[in-house]
Amino acid sequence: MRIRTLAYAALTATLTAALAGCGASEPVPEEPAATSTGGEGVTEYPLTLDNCGTEVTVDAPPERVVSLDQNSTEILLSLGLEDRVVGTASWTDPVLPELEAANEDVPRLADNAPTYEVALGADPDFITASFGRHLNESGVATRDRFAETGIETYLSPTDCEGDVSINGGGTRTHLLDIESLYTEIRELAAVFDVPSRGDALIADLEERTAEALDGVDAEGATVAFWFADTRTPYMAGGYGSAAMLADMSGMENVFAGTADDWPATGWEAVVEKNPDVLVLGDLQRARFPGDKLEEKIEFLESDPLTSTMDAVKNKRYIALHGAEMNPSIRSVDGLEKIGEFWKEQDAG
């Protein structure tokens, strides 16, 4: 990778010269691992990670990172790395309010996925992505293509089962665990040599999760998560991030038997399952009909078929931003909103 520090290069040259002058009986000191010159000085470099079946090696903290997804971007900003982020993409919602100042001067390369040329134009030395679709032939570019230019890539563990990318064409076989998100935070914190910031972020998310779920009793209520599209709605399947939210809060996902994260289905199937609660994606974009919350509610309550559901009749809606329904630090925001809904139900 081409982000080796000058100090490390100078050290290598010095040791090479020393080796040339040593006799066969002279002790040769081992070359120490390079460490960060601008972070906490804890990570030892080169650092190698097994990332979704791809070996990722960094020689020093990246100086110029491009994040291909909002989820990844908000982790980087939460770790205080805004001065390293030279481009972001694929946004579904405004940045978290507490990260607005950090994000203010970060270039947005595209609202959706950028082209390879645009991503490369930011002159990155590291690429992060939350979803594997960006790192395949039909996406921004393959990991091998980035590697040919000396750029390492990192894919969120939330998108991986072993060496298979779920969003890149694979299928989940077990429920997503929030520990995958914590692994992503720890590994990115290690890559950028800010491990204590990663530990602090994880501790905060764990504390908030415990508080959000404290006293919540969903009593096995059934739920459906609707992400987008009024024509062929994308509803949460049984193993992805939304299913994880249902499981953690004690609700029963009515599409639990579906392996895909967000399968497109028909309204007849949704109405037949008649969930007690509908979690509605409030997306601040205009990609599909019904992206925004008010459009979803208007459709549900005016359509002759969907208006017959108990959740619609009783207006039992939980509104979550798109990023809160994807595996990200906002998953905890989603849990807080779900917990608040059930606490209000109990109080009522």
Side-chain angles (χ1 to χ4, degrees):
M1 190 175 176
R2 58 187 177 90
I3 55 175
R4 196 178 302 271
T5 63
L6 291 176
Y8 179 72
L11 176 61
T12 302
T14 301
L15 288 172
T16 300
L19 274 171
C22 288
S25 62
E26 294 176 301
V28 179
E30 288 187 8
E31 178 179 333
T35 56
S36 165
T37 57
E40 299 177 357
V42 176
T43 299
E44 290 190 349
Y45 299 94
L47 171 68
T48 299
L49 302 172
D50 180 2
N51 178 233
C52 206
T54 297
E55 186 176 279
V56 177
T57 300
V58 292
D59 298 320
E63 301 272 344
R64 300 178 60 83
V65 57
V66 164
S67 169
L68 299 178
D69 289 291
Q70 179 174 356
N71 306 346
S72 172
T73 298
E74 292 188 332
I75 290 176
L76 295 172
L77 297 180
S78 297
L79 294 174
L81 298 169
E82 59 270 18
D83 61 328
R84 310 288 184 91
V85 184
V86 296
T88 68
S90 301
W91 289 78
T92 59
D93 302 283
V95 69
L96 281 167
E98 59 266 32
L99 298 177
E100 285 179 357
N103 187 58
E104 187 173 347
D105 295 324
V106 174
R108 182 175 296 195
L109 305 182
D111 290 336
N112 296 308
T115 64
Y116 173 69
E117 291 74 19
V118 168
L120 213 60
D123 191 27
D125 55 21
F126 197 68
I127 300 282
T128 64
S130 302
F131 301 111
R133 67 176 179 268
H134 296 309
L135 300 176
N136 60 27
E137 291 286 355
S138 59
V140 180
T142 64
R143 303 184 78 164
D144 287 343
R145 189 176 183 190
F146 278 119
E148 288 172 358
T149 60
I151 303 172
E152 292 280 15
T153 52
Y154 180 87
L155 178 60
S156 170
T158 63
D159 191 47
C160 302
E161 279 197 15
D163 60 357
V164 175
S165 165
I166 303 305
N167 195 259
T171 302
R172 294 191 193 276
T173 60
H174 59 265
L175 182 65
L176 178 68
D177 193 307
I178 200 167
E179 285 299 323
S180 297
L181 170 65
Y182 298 156
T183 295
E184 179 178 10
I185 295 170
R186 287 191 189 96
E187 290 185 339
L188 286 176
V191 165
F192 287 89
D193 193 24
V194 289
S196 66
R197 299 183 198 177
D199 292 342
L201 176 57
I202 292 169
D204 177 65
L205 294 173
E206 290 177 327
E207 181 179 356
R208 288 173 54 201
T209 295
E211 291 177 357
L213 299 178
D214 184 36
V216 171
D217 183 8
E219 297 181 351
T222 58
V223 62
F225 291 76
W226 177 21
F227 192 82
D229 205 336
T230 55
R231 300 163 300 190
T232 52
Y234 289 90
M235 312 297 289
Y239 299 117
S241 54
M244 178 186 73
L245 297 182
D247 181 73
M248 293 177 72
S249 56
M251 296 187 291
E252 179 184 338
N253 178 13
V254 295
F255 289 100
T258 307
D260 292 342
D261 279 9
W262 293 102
T265 187
W267 282 114
E268 292 81 3
V270 181
V271 172
E272 182 181 355
K273 293 184 181 296
N274 194 27
D276 298 318
V277 178
L278 284 167
V279 178
L280 308 178
D282 186 11
L283 314 184
Q284 301 305 302
R285 67 179 193 186
R287 185 178 175 188
F288 293 107
D291 271 347
K292 293 181 172 55
L293 175 65
E294 58 268 23
E295 296 170 352
K296 284 184 171 71
I297 293 176
E298 181 182 359
F299 172 82
L300 289 169
E301 297 181 354
S302 63
D303 182 83
L305 183 61
T306 59
S307 61
T308 64
M309 288 189 288
D310 291 339
V312 177
K313 290 178 180 178
N314 297 308
K315 300 184 185 295
R316 290 167 68 88
Y317 308 133
I318 302 174
L320 299 186
H321 292 302
E324 294 167 352
M325 299 168 83
N326 285 324
S328 69
I329 58 174
R330 291 203 186 197
S331 297
V332 177
D333 296 69
L335 283 173
E336 289 174 334
K337 292 178 180 179
I338 291 171
E340 182 179 347
F341 171 85
W342 285 110
K343 289 170 184 176
E344 289 177 354
Q345 294 294 310
D346 292 340

